[in-house]
Amino acid sequence: MKRWAVAVVFGVAVSGYGISLCEYRSPTTEFLQGKVSFFYQHLDDPSTPGIDLSAGSLTFDARRQGDGERSGFTLAGKGELRLYGMGLSQARVEGTGALRQYVAREFPLFTYGAIETMWDTANPQPGLETQAGLGYGRFSNVTPLAKALRIDALLLTRGALPAPLPESSVLAIAEVIGQPLEVASLADRVAEVVKLVETESKRKLDPSIVLLIEETLARTGRERFCGWTAQAGISYWIVDPKGAPRDLSFALALDAALAPEPNSQLLFRSRIAGPPSFPEQYTLALEVTFDVQVDNDISFSTRYTLFQDKPAGQVPAGTQLASFQLEISRRWIGVTLQMEFAKLAEAPAWKQSIVIAATTHLW
């Protein structure tokens, strides 16, 4: 019940303060995110000839991005491996490295250069592409403010505070939390946060509350980001994956991140590229992910991806994938519900996979 109370207090705190996570700004932003998902089904009924079902997939997505006042970088990799009969049936792997140079500190206009590699078993060879152009926008790490709001909510539910901290105190706590490790250690930041809370509340915090604050500051994997970037430029295939004649292409990209509240994150990525004959010929990639941490025991995530290739004079071909995952773990038992829907462009319907797994720790 207390955890659900914390979730309610989050909503009250954010709306009561008038603090929007996406209005928070930090001088530098650096984040690292990575996720791997594996799914496999194998069924061999002795009453029927051959193996009835043996298929699965492995997907991964990793991204590291940093933004300072005048420069930034992105390193990203993602892929999907389709398995059939315990062997690899289809694979698509991509890697990207990009550098950004901002024109001014307060004006997020930037120039960029990037290199992208791609390997797809549907193509005769790997691909290598260079990109350059202009962009506008910036991402910001709002995790310090999200953690400050979590701390305020925890203190309220534990009775350590008679009322929510004022907005100025919450922002001061976020500033302390956002200090780099080389400037202030975890112990130093915990001590500063405790001092700010005790000064505002005019009461000494219990050691158990101090431990909760330390756990909140040390916890990773719940980073929150806001912002967007739009890019326009040219690209050139140094090695074309389809072996087609190499030529300059135009590329547009839009990335966005939104943290509606401290425990949820929405990410959007898209890119479309093609020669001057666009839209007669193009490639389109789209990805949308959303995850929410309901409490320490329950989390939900969903992901949708679309890849479409439109050769000149042909109809578009590509794939769509939608997945949903609910994880519930409480003390000695855990339950995971995973649903996946996949569709090829030429397929008449979606292929569905549903898995429910339960784990019990006996000792």
Side-chain angles (χ1 to χ4, degrees):
M1 181 63 69
K2 286 184 178 180
R3 292 193 179 101
W4 288 103
V6 170
V8 173
V9 172
F10 279 150
V12 174
V14 174
S15 60
Y17 290 134
I19 300 177
S20 170
L21 285 173
C22 290
E23 291 178 359
Y24 178 80
R25 293 292 181 270
S26 55
T28 60
T29 293
E30 184 167 345
F31 65 87
L32 175 64
Q33 290 183 321
K35 186 175 183 179
V36 177
S37 178
F38 178 74
F39 166 76
Y40 201 89
Q41 286 182 300
H42 183 84
L43 175 62
D44 188 2
D45 189 342
S47 64
T48 60
I51 297 176
D52 300 89
L53 175 64
S54 182
S57 66
L58 171 68
T59 61
F60 66 91
D61 188 352
R63 187 179 184 91
R64 183 180 181 187
Q65 183 167 326
D67 276 296
E69 294 180 345
R70 298 299 297 268
S71 62
F73 72 92
T74 298
L75 297 174
K78 63 179 180 179
E80 179 182 9
L81 307 179
R82 289 282 172 176
L83 308 173
Y84 185 79
M86 304 303 292
L88 182 65
S89 63
Q90 183 181 359
R92 180 179 174 86
V93 180
E94 299 178 9
T96 303
L99 294 176
R100 293 177 296 280
Q101 188 69 40
Y102 291 92
V103 175
R105 182 188 305 175
E106 301 297 332
F107 189 63
L109 179 68
F110 60 87
T111 59
Y112 73 90
I115 294 179
E116 181 171 337
T117 61
M118 187 265 283
W119 173 61
D120 192 331
T121 54
N123 297 326
Q125 62 185 4
L128 178 62
E129 182 185 32
T130 59
Q131 305 167 15
L134 291 174
Y136 184 88
R138 190 189 287 267
F139 286 95
S140 183
N141 186 350
V142 300
T143 306
L145 179 55
K147 288 187 174 182
L149 289 170
R150 291 191 191 110
I151 289 172
D152 190 33
L154 286 169
L155 295 178
L156 283 171
T157 57
R158 295 301 178 99
L161 288 176
L165 293 170
E167 180 177 329
S168 58
S169 296
V170 174
L171 293 174
I173 292 174
E175 184 176 351
V176 171
I177 295 174
Q179 296 180 92
L181 188 60
E182 57 269 19
V183 174
S185 66
L186 175 61
D188 292 336
R189 284 178 286 161
V190 171
E192 288 188 56
V193 170
V194 170
K195 182 179 178 181
L196 286 170
V197 173
E198 291 181 340
T199 300
E200 183 62 39
S201 63
K202 296 180 175 57
R203 62 173 67 181
K204 189 171 181 60
L205 295 180
D206 186 85
S208 62
I209 300 298
V210 175
L211 181 59
L212 282 176
I213 293 176
E214 182 178 357
E215 290 175 351
T216 302
L217 265 63
R219 185 177 294 124
T220 59
R222 295 189 187 179
E223 285 72 22
R224 300 292 176 244
F225 308 95
C226 286
W228 60 274
T229 60
Q231 298 179 176
I234 58 174
S235 61
Y236 180 76
W237 284 105
I238 298 177
V239 179
D240 191 285
K242 298 179 181 180
R246 294 172 294 173
D247 199 0
L248 285 176
S249 297
F250 298 100
L252 300 173
L254 176 64
D255 294 344
L258 175 66
E261 47 84 36
N263 281 330
S264 62
Q265 179 74 74
L266 175 66
L267 297 174
F268 174 86
R269 301 173 190 164
S270 64
R271 182 176 186 267
I272 186 168
S277 58
F278 177 89
E280 290 298 321
Q281 181 179 350
Y282 65 87
T283 58
L284 169 67
L286 172 67
E287 180 179 2
V288 183
T289 62
F290 177 74
D291 70 83
V292 56
Q293 190 77 33
V294 180
D295 62 20
N296 288 334
D297 298 333
I298 304 174
S299 64
F300 173 78
S301 62
T302 181
R303 175 172 175 258
Y304 172 78
T305 61
L306 167 67
F307 177 77
Q308 194 172 79
D309 185 18
K310 169 65 171 69
Q314 301 180 32
V315 297
T319 59
Q320 295 184 72
L321 175 68
S323 62
F324 307 87
Q325 183 167 302
L326 177 67
E327 297 181 23
I328 304 174
S329 58
R330 188 172 182 85
R331 295 181 183 176
W332 51 272
I333 188 169
V335 177
T336 301
L337 170 62
Q338 179 176 321
M339 296 184 292
E340 182 181 281
F341 303 87
K343 183 179 182 299
L344 296 174
E346 63 273 15
W350 291 77
K351 179 182 177 182
Q352 305 175 26
S353 301
I354 299 176
V355 175
I356 300 176
T359 303
T360 302
H361 301 277
L362 300 177
W363 53 77

